[in-house]
Amino acid sequence: MKALKSVVVAMSAVAVLGVTAGCGGSESGGGAGAPAAGGTEAAAPAVTPADPKEAFLQAFAAIEARHYAYTMSVDGTEASGVVYAPGESSTQVTSGELEGTKFSTETAYVGGKAYTKLDFGSGNSSLGIDPGTWYELDLNIAKQLDYTFEQQSPVQSAFVKSISSVERDGDAAFKGTFDFAVASENNPNPQTKTLLQALGDTAKTAAFTAELDGQGNVSGLVFTIAKTDKTPEIKQTLTFTEFGTAKAPEAPANAQPAPASLNNIYK
């Protein structure tokens, strides 16, 4: 059950890397704008700053605006979802294997409520869940998820203040370094704290690359943390589309109250 709890907490709604969902913090980080109105694609301003870091932050603004679809891959785990700023809602579908347990999860945060549908194979009976059923979590109990709309962005604003260096890599790309310890501030995921301890000073020199779309927005990010004596190389890849046009997530129909065993696993 301990291993199953680790899997659920790590992957059902927050990822192990602190730059992904669950970092916490809702401050703006250098250029966040309002989501595009009227169903139009968000576009970066026509004038691009000469300073590479300022130019990157300007291109990053569409992500900070929190209205897009995304895909994510990290250490064999695949995820996709929507972050919808106008309704402060989000969805995520995740699948992979962690600690020898294959899993698939779906989560939705809509109207201030959190829903999840999980399949952990033999672990389902321990949790008392049906893999085909949506459950509404009791957020008075399941606090470790720290569900707020700000938490749902795959890249949190803490990443911005963690950036150490940025340089251009051609006309439509950037590369740079960031401090993973700073990027993961206030992350409620205990897996992240364990990872930081294992990384030591290596966390301070994490690398990133970014690609731009035709409108000048960051459409792809790759985060890389170098191998250490205690950890393998960690690489996380994200892509972003549908800026300002992503469809609003909906609450799942016929969701059941989550059993105590499921709520308690997030304590």
Side-chain angles (χ1 to χ4, degrees):
M1 188 67 175
K2 182 178 179 181
L4 179 59
K5 178 172 181 175
S6 176
V7 173
V8 174
V9 171
M11 297 311 307
S12 69
V14 293
V16 175
L17 281 185
V19 290
T20 63
C23 300
S26 58
E27 70 275 13
S28 174
T40 58
E41 288 287 329
V47 178
T48 302
D51 178 75
K53 183 175 181 179
E54 291 303 314
F56 170 75
L57 293 180
Q58 178 174 283
F60 189 70
I63 298 174
E64 290 186 289
R66 295 185 173 97
H67 186 179
Y68 48 79
Y70 68 91
T71 62
M72 177 172 63
S73 176
V74 55
D75 287 352
T77 297
E78 306 294 329
S80 62
V82 169
V83 175
Y84 183 72
E88 295 194 350
S89 57
S90 65
T91 59
Q92 186 177 92
V93 178
T94 307
S95 64
E97 182 173 340
L98 192 66
E99 297 185 9
T101 300
K102 291 184 178 180
F103 65 89
S104 63
T105 74
E106 293 184 54
T107 60
Y109 179 76
V110 181
K113 297 180 179 181
Y115 306 88
T116 187
K117 183 167 67 171
L118 312 173
D119 186 358
F120 288 95
S122 61
N124 294 338
S125 59
S126 299
L127 289 174
I129 61 173
D130 174 5
T133 299
W134 278 97
Y135 295 99
E136 181 182 342
L137 294 169
D138 184 341
L139 297 184
N140 293 315
I141 300 173
K143 295 181 179 180
Q144 194 166 349
L145 287 178
D146 200 11
Y147 267 110
T148 65
F149 174 67
E150 286 77 13
Q151 295 284 358
Q152 300 309 298
S153 174
V155 183
Q156 292 288 310
S157 51
F159 168 65
V160 170
K161 65 180 181 180
S162 77
I163 295 173
S164 305
S165 66
V166 182
E167 59 183 279
R168 292 185 179 277
D169 187 17
D171 295 333
F174 296 92
K175 59 183 178 180
T177 58
F178 68 100
D179 187 335
F180 174 56
V182 175
S184 59
E185 284 181 1
N186 300 318
N187 190 326
N189 188 345
Q191 296 281 328
T192 301
K193 181 178 180 180
T194 300
L195 177 59
L196 282 170
Q197 291 173 341
L199 288 172
D201 288 342
T202 301
K204 299 179 181 179
T205 55
F208 75 91
T209 60
E211 295 183 355
L212 308 186
D213 64 12
Q215 285 72 46
N217 303 308
V218 171
S219 59
L221 284 168
V222 177
F223 299 115
T224 305
I225 302 177
K227 178 181 179 180
T228 72
D229 292 340
K230 297 180 180 179
T231 61
E233 179 185 77
I234 301 171
K235 181 173 287 187
Q236 178 170 345
T237 303
L238 298 113
T239 61
F240 304 89
T241 58
E242 299 180 53
F243 293 114
T245 65
K247 183 180 178 181
E250 298 178 355
N254 302 318
Q256 303 296 310
S261 55
L262 182 54
N263 285 314
N264 289 338
I265 209 167
Y266 294 105
K267 273 188 171 181

